[in-house]
Amino acid sequence: VRQNSPFVYFAELNSDKKYKRTRENIKMKAVCWYGKHDVRVENVPDPTILNGRDAIIKITSTAICGSDLHLYHGDIPMMPGDTCGHEFTGVIVDSGHEVTGLKRGDRVVGTFHTACGACRACRRGEFHLCDSSAVYGYGPIYGSLNGTQAEYARIPMADINLRIIPDGLEDEQALFAGDILTTAYGAVKNAGVTTGEGDSSMSFCRRRCAVQSRSPRCTTLPCASAKTTAPATICARSSGSRRDFGG
């Protein structure tokens, strides 16, 4: 695994490795939890189709979420050897016979948790309350579903839990849709942030969501550093007050 940016790292994939649906002892690399402050990259068995609605994807990008720190610090129960990770993009390499709307070769992004699409909560659009929901790579309390910080991953109910990445969108851009950006958007929406409201302590993604809502008190300015030019968002609660976060 190589470091690519402060947010994203990419699995080093062997381009000569061909995925096969088999229960033979084929090994892939994955980030595995073994205890508090004990996380290792190890060889583990490739995932296989277990249900007609499963898909197997080759992971092309994955991220380390702030929630993964709970695992690292031993705050969430895990089983030794469990695969970590729940933010990912990938390419479909195999799928069950009940998967519709997706095909081999599709570039996809997935949510951090699963939903069935058929229960009462899912029919109301409240997928996070799904009766059979599970979180990738988050231990037995959250469904014992293997994580996505790996070369390959099994995606249950793939037709509900995967979305095709539009042409022209890079993996590192699409990756934010599965958890990071949508969590920020949900926070802004659920908090009822309206025009004219904002807070300088908001996270980067939440500030971007507030800016996109065209709040007049959230302003994006170029912030120059020694090596890069990046946007800096300035937010204020009351008119006339302004805080500068220039570097």
Side-chain angles (χ1 to χ4, degrees):
V1 177
R2 63 181 171 86
Q3 189 70 28
N4 188 71
S5 78
F7 303 105
V8 184
Y9 66 84
F10 291 79
E12 292 283 7
L13 301 176
N14 181 351
S15 59
D16 295 329
K17 181 178 180 180
K18 295 182 179 179
Y19 184 83
K20 297 180 180 180
R21 267 179 69 180
T22 175
R23 292 188 179 275
E24 295 175 5
N25 195 27
I26 297 177
K27 299 286 187 177
M28 66 173 182
K29 291 188 181 298
V31 177
C32 300
W33 184 94
Y34 279 91
K36 183 177 180 180
H37 299 164
D38 187 1
V39 178
R40 315 170 193 173
V41 176
E42 295 204 327
N43 293 321
V44 301
D46 278 7
T48 57
I49 297 289
L50 302 179
N51 183 283
R53 294 181 67 189
D54 287 350
I56 304 296
I57 66 170
K58 180 174 72 173
I59 300 294
T60 54
S61 67
T62 184
I64 301 174
C65 179
S67 300
D68 290 330
L69 293 177
H70 300 310
L71 307 179
Y72 183 71
H73 294 302
D75 298 328
I76 302 294
M78 295 274 282
M79 300 299 292
D82 280 353
T83 304
C84 304
H86 54 262
E87 298 173 354
F88 62 96
T89 63
V91 177
I92 295 178
V93 296
D94 203 358
S95 61
H97 66 281
E98 297 180 43
V99 175
T100 60
L102 298 169
K103 65 182 184 303
R104 186 174 300 182
D106 283 344
R107 295 175 59 235
V108 291
V109 58
T111 59
F112 68 92
H113 67 93
T114 64
C116 71
C119 69
R120 184 176 180 180
C122 286
R123 292 197 302 271
R124 292 196 305 264
E126 297 177 328
F127 298 103
H128 61 294
L129 299 177
C130 175
D131 292 341
S132 57
S133 179
V135 177
Y136 298 100
Y138 227 63
I141 292 179
Y142 293 91
S144 295
L145 189 60
N146 271 332
T148 60
Q149 292 173 3
E151 290 185 283
Y152 293 88
R154 179 180 72 91
I155 310 300
M157 297 162 284
D159 46 348
I160 295 295
N161 298 306
L162 294 175
R163 294 291 183 272
I164 295 177
I165 300 174
D167 293 337
L169 215 61
E170 296 181 0
D171 285 345
E172 191 167 346
Q173 295 172 306
L175 181 65
F176 285 81
D179 183 4
I180 308 168
L181 182 60
T182 46
T183 298
Y185 175 79
V188 170
K189 182 178 179 181
N190 293 339
V193 176
T194 60
T195 300
E197 294 182 338
D199 192 318
S200 58
S201 65
M202 295 169 73
S203 73
F204 173 78
C205 283
R206 280 184 291 214
R207 291 199 303 269
R208 295 304 301 161
C209 289
V211 169
Q212 288 302 110
S213 69
R214 294 179 173 83
S215 171
R217 297 182 194 173
C218 290
T219 306
T220 301
L221 300 175
C223 178
S225 65
K227 296 182 179 179
T228 62
T229 299
T233 304
I234 299 172
C235 302
R237 284 193 179 278
S238 58
S239 60
S241 65
R242 185 182 180 96
R243 299 184 65 182
D244 191 352
F245 296 91

